[in-house]
Amino acid sequence: MTLTLYGVPLSPFVRKVRLCLQEKGLDYKLETVMPFTPPQWYLEINPLGRIPALKDGDCTLADSSVICQHLEEAYPDTVALYGDTAQDRGRIRWLEKYADYELAPLTTFTVFRNRILKPTSGHPCNEEAVQAALQQKLPPHFDYLEQQLGQQHFFVGDRLSMADIAIACQLINMAHGGEQLDAQRWPGLAGHHARMLALPSASGMLPDEQRMNAKLKEMGKAATA
């Protein structure tokens, strides 16, 4: 059965589903749907117009967390990414939600959006908002995640889960926006992120993303020149 994922690679939520699919060894095709201006047919899949969405046979779903949980349940013979116990599943879902709802507004919708996306449409970067995110708003979240990780290699059960993937996806977008974790201030989290980037699923995907990001930077320079 062919799985079709709709969205664009630089979306952290699309990336999250792609990494889930790859870690599970599931074949899929990525069909480009741009955020903000989706085609009319896409609104039948997701009336909110947001990405990603997934088509799995006759089943269509939207929202990255819903999609990943569907893949976990629909393909039980693949690698489990939501833990084996109720406690682990709860913690994984909590940290996934934390990444999507607490990190994303800052890493993606402030740093990445201002530094990369806004200039491509001729709008100036709001660097004041970027610096507020980096200096004031993100550090408490990084402190919390550093504490949650402790001495483990991964966040829950010391094995790869959707918690790790969701957090890494947001930090990747921050990096696309030109910012890296301070490894001296958050050594555990920085080490975790390095391990995530070294996963074959991530390392095989990132070069294409980096090329796309570089093209967007050039477009932004031309649009604001």
Side-chain angles (χ1 to χ4, degrees):
M1 184 175 293
T2 301
L3 295 163
T4 302
L5 179 64
Y6 302 96
V8 291
L10 291 178
S11 160
F13 306 107
V14 173
R15 183 186 304 117
K16 184 172 77 167
V17 178
R18 293 183 75 193
L19 289 174
C20 177
L21 287 161
Q22 292 193 46
E23 289 295 330
K24 287 180 168 294
L26 296 171
D27 292 330
Y28 71 99
K29 64 177 181 179
L30 178 64
E31 185 167 329
T32 298
V33 170
M34 300 299 294
F36 313 120
T37 56
Q40 185 62 38
W41 61 263
Y42 184 73
L43 298 178
E44 297 177 12
I45 297 175
N46 183 1
L48 301 177
R50 298 171 187 159
I51 57 173
L54 180 81
K55 182 175 177 60
D56 182 0
D58 294 331
C59 176
T60 56
L61 296 166
D63 184 87
S64 63
S65 295
V66 170
I67 291 168
C68 291
Q69 290 176 33
H70 163 78
L71 294 171
E72 183 86 347
E73 296 178 9
Y75 299 92
D77 294 332
T78 61
V79 173
L81 293 173
Y82 280 95
D84 297 325
T85 68
Q87 180 175 342
D88 283 355
R89 286 191 290 271
R91 280 187 48 75
I92 290 165
R93 290 187 174 112
W94 158 245
L95 289 168
E96 181 183 7
K97 180 180 175 65
Y98 195 92
D100 290 354
Y101 286 86
E102 303 303 325
L103 295 186
L106 302 169
T107 56
T108 294
F109 297 114
T110 301
V111 177
F112 177 73
R113 180 171 177 264
N114 273 287
R115 291 270 183 83
I116 303 299
L117 297 183
K118 286 177 70 174
T120 64
S121 58
H123 295 99
C125 167
N126 183 344
E127 189 62 26
E128 183 177 350
V130 170
Q131 291 305 316
L134 294 171
Q135 303 299 325
Q136 301 167 27
K137 298 176 182 179
L138 277 168
H141 295 309
F142 294 158
D143 289 342
Y144 172 73
L145 293 173
E146 181 84 4
Q147 184 272 329
Q148 291 297 301
L149 183 64
Q151 300 302 310
Q152 299 183 108
H153 280 74
F154 299 104
F155 275 94
V156 180
D158 210 13
R159 59 187 257 199
L160 181 69
S161 75
M162 287 308 302
D164 305 289
I165 290 172
I167 291 165
C169 284
Q170 294 303 328
L171 296 180
I172 288 169
N173 268 58
M174 189 176 81
H176 286 333
E179 299 294 336
Q180 302 286 343
L181 277 169
D182 183 340
Q184 291 188 327
R185 186 170 180 181
W186 299 289
L189 191 58
H192 173 271
H193 191 56
R195 285 189 293 277
M196 294 301 294
L197 296 182
L199 291 173
S201 56
S203 62
M205 188 183 301
L206 282 177
D208 283 344
E209 286 197 22
Q210 289 162 346
R211 284 189 287 271
M212 292 177 197
N213 199 54
K215 288 181 181 179
L216 288 177
K217 285 183 180 178
E218 291 303 316
M219 291 170 58
K221 289 178 183 177
T224 56

